[in-house]
Amino acid sequence: MAVGFLARSRTVAPPDWSRWLVPPAALAVHLAIGQVYAWSVFKPPLEGSLGLSGTQSALPFQLAIVMLGLSAAFGGTLVERNGPRWAMFVSMTCFSSGFVISALGVATEQFWVVVLGYGVVGGVGLGIGYISPVSTLIKWFPDRPGMATGIAIMGFGGGALIASPWSAQMLAWFGTGSGGIATTMLVHGVVYFGFMGLGVVLVRVPAPDWTPPGTPVQQAGGRTVAVSANNALRTPQFWLLWLVLCLNVTAGIGILEKASPMITEFFRHTAMPVSAAAAAGFVGVLSLTNMLGRFVWSSTSDIVGRKNIYRLYLGVGALLYLTIALTTNSSTLLFVLCAALILSFYGGGFATIPAYLKDLFGTYEVGAIHGRLLTAWSTAGVLGPLIVNAIADSQEAAGKQGPDLYFTSLLIMMGLLIVGFVANEFVRPVHPRFHEPGTGDSDDSEAGDPARDRR
Amino acid sequence: MAEGANGATEGAGGTARRRRGLLVLAWLWVGLPFAYGAFELARKMVQLFGG
């Protein structure tokens, strides 16, 4: 149980507290931990100064992502119990300590210390930080949960946008030897500690009787859905959404992970080949649409409904993959547009899932349920690159080149999205037997859900 | 009585001003680094696609 300043009871907002102070608190955490996607900036200097291979230097990142999934899955209930300030404090301490421990590892040229620091300790900070503001934001914005979680989860996408040039600049200042890398990591630890501190200080939970401005006091008779995290695991809805998230992420990550070689190979034998520099720009475009999709599509889901927005991600996403497979290298612009839209749906899928969970399971333990659902992300992180790389390698061994290297992968991604589309169609309100006693019934299972009438 | 009411109004006004200041500061805290990142990305994309 968290005590003192970190206790949930100390974070209850006074009546005049603005709910618009909560998104920046969430962003202070998500923009910081989103740095993980910029780990590649540290790879070449680490390889040079510690004599590592590319696979070895990727280890801290890979372990951090695994720890993200594990700590989100297993720490979700603790986060719900102790509140967002405690969770943000744990995230801030672990994430910053991860950098400081890594700095020590680089300075002493002990790579295992870097793996332990950034991968394990920092990874726990990632997982707890990722889920820390979700249920709080949903409680503050019951009228616009998609927009609220979209802002925070967009921050996770935007974190690399900040860290990538900043880390590169610091390495240019301090040098890429072990001393320079250690100093850079130390500064990262200190700066991120201060930056995330705003979230810790600012975050508040709404008072139990608080309602958003302009909202009727009672919705649908005042009864709401409340499903515990343990009960959620027993519902088909949880596993259907797990499948939807996993397949949507697999399809997106497949293109994201191979973006640069894919566009280069697609247009290699055309009148307008894509240079390595332009391919890097393509990766930048994908990062941007991935990030914007998180806010734009998740906010749109508040208007059109959660089920409909996933129909768009999965159905239109499958059609876009088909378009790329059929038009191959006939137009660079069409290829870039299709890939950019697919990546915006990938980001949108991440950002909309907490609001979808809230619609189905209520706000009772939505953070813990979200944490457990993130194991779908870890699975997709292995599946997506595995499918695309294995098929491209086998096609290359068979003597194929250009778009032919990716044709089968594109069709597989399309198939995965169709399976996800079908899974989404099976999502129905949760049966009342899974509800917490005395909290609602099946008639009101989607109280306040704009999606209800649009299904 | 009137003085007390005035004091309460001024107190509420002061709190509202502080809250607005906090709101601006909080959004700048996260907005400025984000703007820096977006600017750097835009610069890179112009360099790469615009030559």
Side-chain angles (χ1 to χ4, degrees):
Chain A
M1 193 68 185
V3 290
F5 175 70
L6 301 178
R8 175 182 276 277
S9 58
R10 294 281 297 271
T11 59
V12 177
D16 60 341
W17 191 257
S18 168
R19 61 175 175 167
W20 290 101
L21 282 165
V22 185
L27 276 170
V29 173
H30 271 237
L31 281 173
I33 62 175
Q35 178 281 338
V36 69
Y37 281 136
W39 171 253
S40 59
V41 175
F42 286 105
K43 274 172 62 80
L46 277 175
E47 287 163 23
S49 64
L50 300 185
L52 305 171
S53 68
T55 311
Q56 286 172 318
S57 67
L59 202 58
F61 167 78
Q62 287 169 327
L63 197 58
I65 295 293
V66 170
M67 290 306 294
L68 185 158
L70 290 176
S71 53
F74 292 106
T77 309
L78 269 179
V79 171
E80 288 291 345
R81 192 182 305 150
N82 292 330
R85 181 173 286 166
W86 174 86
M88 286 181 177
F89 180 80
V90 170
S91 172
M92 174 184 77
T93 307
C94 289
F95 188 64
S96 308
S97 305
F99 268 112
V100 175
I101 295 168
S102 297
L104 189 71
V106 177
T108 55
E109 302 196 348
Q110 298 292 318
F111 182 59
W112 68 271
V113 179
V114 181
V115 176
L116 177 78
Y118 191 87
V120 179
V121 181
V124 172
L126 294 183
I128 300 295
Y130 192 90
I131 59 171
S132 63
V134 168
S135 70
T136 304
L137 281 166
I138 288 175
K139 283 167 192 159
W140 275 111
F141 291 88
D143 48 339
R144 280 178 279 181
M147 181 213 68
T149 55
I151 290 175
I153 293 172
M154 179 182 76
F156 193 74
L161 213 70
I162 300 167
S164 184
W166 180 56
S167 306
Q169 187 58 56
M170 299 251 282
L171 285 167
W173 283 340
F174 297 125
T176 52
S178 54
I181 303 169
T183 311
T184 301
M185 285 181 161
L186 189 65
V187 173
H188 275 61
V190 173
V191 170
Y192 279 129
F193 188 86
F195 186 71
M196 294 168 85
L198 177 92
V200 177
V201 173
L202 209 57
V203 75
R204 296 285 188 284
V205 293
D209 57 346
W210 180 86
T211 52
T215 304
V217 174
Q218 285 197 326
Q219 291 179 333
R223 286 175 289 191
T224 53
V225 180
V227 180
S228 69
N230 286 339
N231 267 347
L233 290 181
R234 299 192 188 102
T235 64
Q237 286 81 0
F238 177 88
W239 296 106
L240 285 168
L241 287 193
W242 192 96
L243 193 64
V244 163
L245 182 68
C246 182
L247 296 177
N248 190 48
V249 175
T250 302
I253 229 168
I255 220 171
L256 190 64
E257 204 257 348
K258 292 285 277 186
S260 178
M262 194 184 271
I263 194 170
T264 310
E265 197 56 47
F266 251 73
F267 296 94
R268 185 184 297 281
H269 303 292
T270 63
M272 288 183 67
V274 174
S275 67
F282 173 61
V283 175
V285 170
L286 296 189
S287 307
L288 194 65
T289 53
N290 170 16
M291 192 184 70
L292 292 177
R294 291 169 191 240
F295 176 68
V296 173
W297 297 126
S298 191
S299 300
T300 308
S301 78
D302 289 335
I303 302 162
V304 302
R306 249 57 80 177
K307 196 164 192 170
N308 282 335
I309 206 79
Y310 275 91
R311 283 177 176 139
L312 177 83
Y313 301 157
L314 301 156
V316 177
L319 290 175
L320 289 168
Y321 265 114
L322 182 67
T323 307
I324 295 177
L326 293 179
T327 58
T328 60
N329 53 12
S330 59
S331 163
T332 316
L333 182 66
L334 186 66
F335 180 90
V336 171
L337 275 178
C338 287
L341 262 176
I342 289 171
L343 260 292
S344 78
F345 294 158
Y346 164 83
F350 271 123
T352 317
I353 211 78
Y356 209 163
L357 292 172
K358 176 252 175 196
D359 292 348
L360 291 167
F361 302 108
T363 55
Y364 179 54
E365 286 192 344
V366 69
I369 300 170
H370 182 225
R372 289 168 198 206
L373 198 81
L374 290 180
T375 50
W377 179 7
S378 307
T379 310
V382 177
L383 272 185
L386 196 71
I387 293 170
V388 176
N389 287 315
I391 291 174
D393 288 349
S394 70
Q395 300 291 308
E396 203 170 4
K400 292 186 178 173
Q401 55 181 345
D404 288 346
L405 283 178
Y406 298 102
F407 186 75
T408 312
S409 300
L410 293 172
L411 293 184
I412 290 175
M413 296 302 168
M414 192 183 79
L416 293 179
L417 288 176
I418 291 170
V419 174
F421 186 91
V422 173
N424 184 46
E425 291 305 308
F426 281 105
V427 175
R428 297 279 183 275
V430 173
H431 193 281
R433 76 170 180 274
F434 295 109
H435 295 183
E436 288 301 294
T439 53
D441 57 33
S442 59
D443 295 339
D444 301 320
S445 59
E446 291 173 287
D449 173 20
R452 182 173 48 172
D453 301 329
R454 298 186 183 91
R455 285 182 179 157
Chain B
M1 189 73 181
E3 270 177 28
N6 282 343
T9 310
E10 279 169 22
T15 307
R17 268 197 302 279
R18 275 198 299 277
R19 288 269 193 272
R20 269 200 299 278
L22 186 62
L23 200 62
V24 171
L25 181 76
W27 280 100
L28 281 176
W29 184 268
V30 292
L32 287 176
F34 190 77
Y36 159 75
F39 171 73
E40 288 293 329
L41 177 70
R43 216 167 56 132
K44 196 162 67 176
M45 284 189 339
V46 167
Q47 276 173 1
L48 293 170
F49 286 125

